[in-house]
Amino acid sequence: MCGAPLAAAEGGAREVRKTVTVVFCDVVGSTAIGDRTDPEVVRALMSTYFDRVREVLERHGGTVEKFIGDAAMAVFGVPVLHEDDALRAVRAAHEIQRVLDGLRIPARIGVNTGEVVARAGESFVTGDAVNVAARLEQHATPGEVLIGDATYQLVKDAVVAEVTEPLTVKGKPSPVFAWRLASVSDTAAGFLRRLDTPLIGRDGEMSLLRGALARAGRERRCHLFTLLGPPGVGKSRLVSELVAESAGAAAAFAGQCLPYGEGITFWPVAEILRAAAGMEDADDRMNALTLLETLVAGDPEAAAVADRLASAVGLGGTPAAAEEISWAIRRAFEHLGRDRPAILVFEDVNWGEPALLDLIEYLAEWCRSSAILLVCTARPELIDRRPGWAGGKTDATTLLVEPLRDDECGRLISALAAGATISASQRARVIEAAGGIPLFVEQMLAMMERGDPGEVDVPPTISALLAARLEQLSDAERRLAECAAVEGRVFHRSAVDALMSATGGRVTGELLQRLTRRELIDPHAGQLPGEEAFRFQHALIRDAAYAAIPKRVRARYHEQFAGWLESVAGDRLDEYEEILAHHLAESVRYRRELADADGDIEALAERAAECYRRAADRAAVRSDYVAGAAMLARVAALLPESDRRVALALVDRAHWLRWAEPAEAAAAAQAAVRAGQASGAAAERLVEICARFVLLSIDHEAAQPEALLEEARAEAERLDATDPAAAARLWWVVASLAETHLHRSSIAITAAERSRELAGIAGAAWLFTDASGMLIQATAHGPGKIADLLARGERLAAGAVGLRRAMFLDSRSLLLAQQGELAAALVAIDEAAAIWEDLGVSTWLAYGPAWLRGNVLLLAGRPDEAIRPLRSAVRLAEERGAETYAATMHGLLARALALTGDYEAALAQAETARGRTRPGDVASEVLWRGAAIRAQAALGHASAAAELARELSALVSGLEAHELRFDAFVDLAAAAPDVAEARTLLLEALHESEARGASSFVDQTSRALAELERPGARTADAGP
């Protein structure tokens, strides 16, 4: 209506997103036809063209959106979506070409499937799918149908097609893949469902089916057995199993109800009769009548029965009333079950016409003299159509086929993926998404085989099926499902009510019951006390409901949900802050994407970023660094790069990921430096130092640890009184460099204590936690008796979880080994490894426990046992690219080989360690030199050993880590030129070990001294 107010028009129909299939058809050379043909002839020809094209498109369920000149555009999926829209469109396109060939009208056709936006109840759609369909039509040759790849994936088992060369399409940056259609089946499904999959978790259902068949055979009666369940749950698989195991004992025939078409009322009956009478190739009426009469041979009214049957199956016959046709079908079916039980299967009776459903119930009631098991498979919607289905019948069973349990899904995955490698995370994703539906498991695994094996994508077949299920809902049911999907798979009734009420709707118990009855949702415990909750039966239903919501509406819904959550959470909002942040951020994302000026986007972004930052910090306190790092990435995405908080978020993200995902940590550190430069001097220096530390620790920068330590300390002292949070970060860097790179525990302890103090002042709980972990580690290597260090570590780690607990256990293992308690040390390593695994610290977990185990065995004086775990640690560290740590491990392995007398191998390992040692890596410098000294001396290379000994002696003077000092002393003693010097070095190691209470070192040193005193062990001027 010209001049109608826009607001009124918008109120009349809401926008929806849906996946549809678009058909473009264009006559080739119509201008030339007009030039050489009389206008009246052209008009008649084009009128016939338009009429026939429209008739074919509408018969297959398409909506003709427009005719432009001699081109036609139709959409399959509006106003009503069907799971087989793509197949309907391809069948229509193929039939149009056959029709136009007969009219001698050359045409090109393009068919494409994709997401569009439409108004509910209208045919006008917008989206890239429309443009691509038009471009495919333009690339087709006369008489050709080109279908897009998305369409092909939905129809591939029903068509014969060949792929074309990639098409260069206007407006598309990448080539478009298309398929040239050769033929299409009139009855086949777009994708075949496997009936050879293992039958898992269906013992109860099979027992009931077997019992019904046995009863029908025993009592010579008809039994109606209906299997209800959502598509893909395994109804047909159960039927095929029953038929297979009854082969020989029972005859079995099946018919499929079709979702659309002309003359399909008795289609499944026709399929059963054709198969039973051998009529597959009987097209003429007389042959069909003969075969039908043979089928009911012996019946006194065989000719009349055959005549009525021929009418029912569309092969002529005398026109008959419905009662007569039902009578004839009953007589024929009774003949099928006369000599042995007959299993007659009606698939998908939810598609059946009312007359067919009446027939099935009639057969169940009146087939009295033959052994017949009528098996019907149907979706739960059947009960909505026929609430009294099979009601009151004594020989009827209706069974709901439930989804598989998670463990049963796991067994199915193992069976289907035999020989393929599927990770634990992929398995969990498939189980979660499939929701116990075997078809979904099968299709998702097939998708993994075709695509990226590391990804778990949702096949388009499943998406189409679920979208069509939701399309069958009433408007109120669909709106409830969409609002519920905004919250997630689990949703709360009052939240959905808040979203629906904004548009004048409300949640009712009846609506929830209807969705429950349709096997779409279930009651659930929920996450908020006192709030009634439900859950989508599986995640893919939720995804399909959410996908139907236009992005502009999603933005509004997410903001409204955030408001609801704040109102119901009250003083417990911090527990749900990550959820709140997610919904605010989604609202921001969609508004930015649509350039929506409705509301203050930047204010929403600010709120979302603050919520994510607080939630990330809490995740770090509980050592969930991977989750926290993901939230920090969202903080950076929400705020402008010039905001100081972006640089801090990125550098903290890098810090948290350095042990779990080194490559991501490096990228975050580099991005943090750029953001720091954009935000100005207030953040630049702090961020640069922290980023350089991260890059150093994961081998992306060959910085000098000592120089970086001095820079960090100077900046920390400058900020100490003015910015406690920033200073706490820097003191932590000082502590970590001093402890892990330079092995100066006294500096590390002081810096860690200051970092803890300032973190407490700033209220930075995660920094306090990290500093506490570093203090625990530094204490273990610091001065003092081992018993006292263990006790202090226990106090510092009291009540600790996550990172602090794991660092304490790792440090404890080293102290226990020095104290001679090897078994307890190994137990501590295993306990720490379990924590690291829970934290998702995959990189450290790959080699860290093996490294510690080898180190502990060396400390305990068991070098022969240390070799194997150290070799494993070296290999794994190199695979992960952990070069700095690999150098230390090569040094430890070299020392273990030297201590066992394998000097050539020790020398080779020492050389490898030397080549990989970065400047300032004190531990590696000490270890490889000590191993090389022993090997060179033993091999008679006295001068080389002496040169290395001078270098090692210089290093020892600045060492604080007792275990490294011990190693250096005993290695120098082993290569000392005379007994007196060797004794002096060993006595120094002994005295330090006794003072520390390192009984393992005392034992090792005492044995070395005893060996030194043995007559002939060493001359005064020669090596060992």
Side-chain angles (χ1 to χ4, degrees), residues 516-537:
T516 302
R517 189 166 61 246
R518 286 174 175 266
E519 299 291 303
L520 294 173
I521 66 172
D522 283 324
H524 191 268
Q527 298 166 312
L528 290 164
E531 293 286 336
E532 186 180 7
F534 294 83
R535 185 179 77 157
F536 286 98
Q537 279 213 350

Side-chain angles (χ1 to χ4, degrees), residues 679-697:
S679 64
E684 184 176 357
R685 188 69 181 139
L686 163 68
V687 170
E688 182 198 357
I689 291 172
C690 292
R692 284 171 59 198
F693 166 74
V694 170
L695 293 170
L696 170 65
S697 65

Side-chain angles (χ1 to χ4, degrees), residues 841-931:
V841 184
S842 56
T843 298
W844 169 258
L845 190 63
Y847 57 81
W851 175 13
L852 282 169
R853 185 175 293 272
N855 196 5
V856 159
L857 288 165
L858 271 177
L859 296 174
R862 306 273 193 91
D864 52 331
E865 296 176 40
I867 291 173
R868 183 174 179 180
L870 287 173
R871 285 194 190 280
S872 175
V874 164
R875 176 178 56 81
L876 292 167
E878 289 179 339
E879 288 176 358
R880 294 287 180 136
E883 290 297 325
T884 296
Y885 298 131
T888 303
M889 284 178 263
H890 275 292
L892 284 168
L893 179 56
R895 187 160 197 277
L897 291 167
L899 288 170
T900 57
D902 193 348
Y903 299 117
E904 294 286 357
L907 207 54
Q909 282 294 329
E911 190 59 33
T912 301
R914 177 182 184 177
R916 299 188 178 207
T917 298
R918 302 288 179 86
D921 184 359
V922 176
S924 299
E925 297 276 10
V926 169
L927 288 168
W928 76 257
R929 280 185 172 84

Side-chain angles (χ1 to χ4, degrees), residues 760-829:
I761 294 171
W766 75 268
L767 270 170
F768 183 90
T769 299
D770 267 22
S772 299
M774 183 51 63
L775 182 57
I776 290 169
Q777 185 176 345
T779 297
H781 297 98
K785 282 186 170 295
I786 289 178
D788 295 338
L789 297 177
L790 285 169
R792 188 184 184 204
E794 290 282 3
R795 289 194 300 274
L796 288 169
V801 295
L803 172 78
R804 285 170 61 198
R805 184 68 186 169
M807 293 181 75
F808 164 69
L809 289 169
D810 284 344
S811 301
R812 176 181 168 83
S813 69
L814 299 173
L815 292 172
L816 288 171
Q818 294 174 55
Q819 203 175 36
E821 299 180 45
L822 177 59
L826 295 175
V827 168
I829 291 172

Side-chain angles (χ1 to χ4, degrees), residues 333-658:
F333 283 4
E334 286 175 339
H335 274 270
L336 294 178
R338 182 177 55 192
D339 299 326
R340 57 176 177 163
I343 303 172
L344 306 179
V345 182
F346 290 81
E347 290 274 12
D348 291 327
V349 297
N350 48 282
W351 299 126
E353 298 288 337
L356 177 68
L357 302 181
D358 291 341
L359 170 66
I360 294 173
E361 292 194 300
Y362 163 79
L363 294 172
E365 189 74 30
W366 291 97
C367 287
R368 299 283 184 175
S369 59
S370 294
I372 299 173
L373 179 63
L374 285 176
V375 181
C376 296
T377 67
R379 300 177 185 180
E381 295 89 273
L382 173 67
I383 304 304
D384 288 334
R385 291 182 58 197
R386 304 278 286 220
W389 175 254
K393 293 179 174 56
T394 55
D395 293 317
T397 301
T398 299
L399 176 65
L400 178 64
V401 183
E402 299 279 1
L404 299 177
R405 299 192 310 268
D406 285 356
D407 62 313
E408 293 167 341
C409 262
R411 288 163 52 199
L412 180 60
I413 291 171
S414 298
L416 291 173
T421 301
I422 295 182
S423 69
S425 61
Q426 289 173 316
R427 178 182 292 264
R429 164 69 177 137
V430 170
I431 291 173
E432 165 70 13
I437 305 297
L439 173 67
F440 294 178
V441 174
E442 170 198 324
Q443 291 277 301
M444 292 174 82
L445 292 178
M447 192 86 167
M448 288 169 61
E449 291 176 3
R450 292 194 299 270
D452 183 349
E455 297 295 323
V456 181
D457 294 323
V458 180
T461 49
I462 295 177
S463 298
L465 190 152
L466 292 174
R469 284 190 71 193
L470 293 171
E471 190 82 1
Q472 295 168 27
L473 302 177
S474 69
D475 186 64
E477 291 167 342
R478 197 158 56 243
R479 193 180 294 268
L480 189 156
E482 290 172 3
C483 289
V486 171
E487 181 173 0
R489 185 176 179 187
V490 175
F491 59 91
H492 296 84
R493 176 173 178 166
S494 62
V496 179
D497 202 46
L499 268 57
M500 291 184 70
S501 63
T503 55
R506 61 185 295 267
V507 177
T508 66
E510 181 186 357
L511 284 175
L512 292 167
Q513 286 177 350
R514 288 190 337 228
L515 293 180
T516 302
R517 189 166 61 246
R518 286 174 175 266
E519 299 291 303
L520 294 173
I521 66 172
D522 283 324
H524 191 268
Q527 298 166 312
L528 290 164
E531 293 286 336
E532 186 180 7
F534 294 83
R535 185 179 77 157
F536 286 98
Q537 279 213 350
H538 49 86
L540 298 183
I541 294 178
R542 180 266 166 191
D543 294 347
Y546 187 78
I549 308 172
K551 290 182 178 180
R552 196 175 303 277
V553 179
R554 290 182 201 174
R556 186 175 69 248
Y557 278 164
H558 281 294
E559 185 178 1
Q560 289 169 347
F561 178 85
W564 170 85
L565 182 58
E566 286 178 309
S567 68
V568 299
D571 57 4
R572 297 180 57 193
L573 184 60
D574 59 337
E575 299 177 31
Y576 307 103
E577 208 150 30
E578 182 183 352
I579 299 172
L580 178 64
H582 165 75
H583 288 280
L584 291 171
E586 287 298 277
S587 183
V588 171
R589 178 166 73 93
Y590 289 125
R591 283 189 160 105
R592 284 177 173 170
E593 187 177 330
L594 298 170
D596 187 354
D598 180 21
D600 189 340
I601 298 177
E602 298 316 311
L604 280 179
E606 182 84 15
R607 287 177 60 201
E610 289 176 359
C611 290
Y612 267 136
R613 178 75 239 198
R614 290 193 294 268
D617 289 352
R618 279 193 292 276
V621 169
R622 62 177 184 267
S623 297
D624 191 355
Y625 291 105
V626 175
M631 287 184 260
L632 291 183
R634 297 182 187 119
V635 171
L638 284 161
L639 300 173
E641 189 181 32
S642 59
D643 193 311
R644 180 174 186 259
R645 291 169 296 176
V646 171
L648 293 177
L650 288 171
V651 82
D652 290 344
R653 171 176 163 80
H655 171 55
W656 293 354
L657 286 176
R658 62 198 179 92

Side-chain angles (χ1 to χ4, degrees), residues 18-44:
K18 54 172 64 180
T19 298
V20 302
T21 300
V22 181
V23 176
F24 262 95
C25 177
D26 189 19
V27 174
V28 178
S30 58
T31 302
I33 294 174
D35 286 343
R36 64 175 184 267
T37 310
D38 186 84
E40 291 188 37
V41 175
V42 173
R43 179 180 178 83

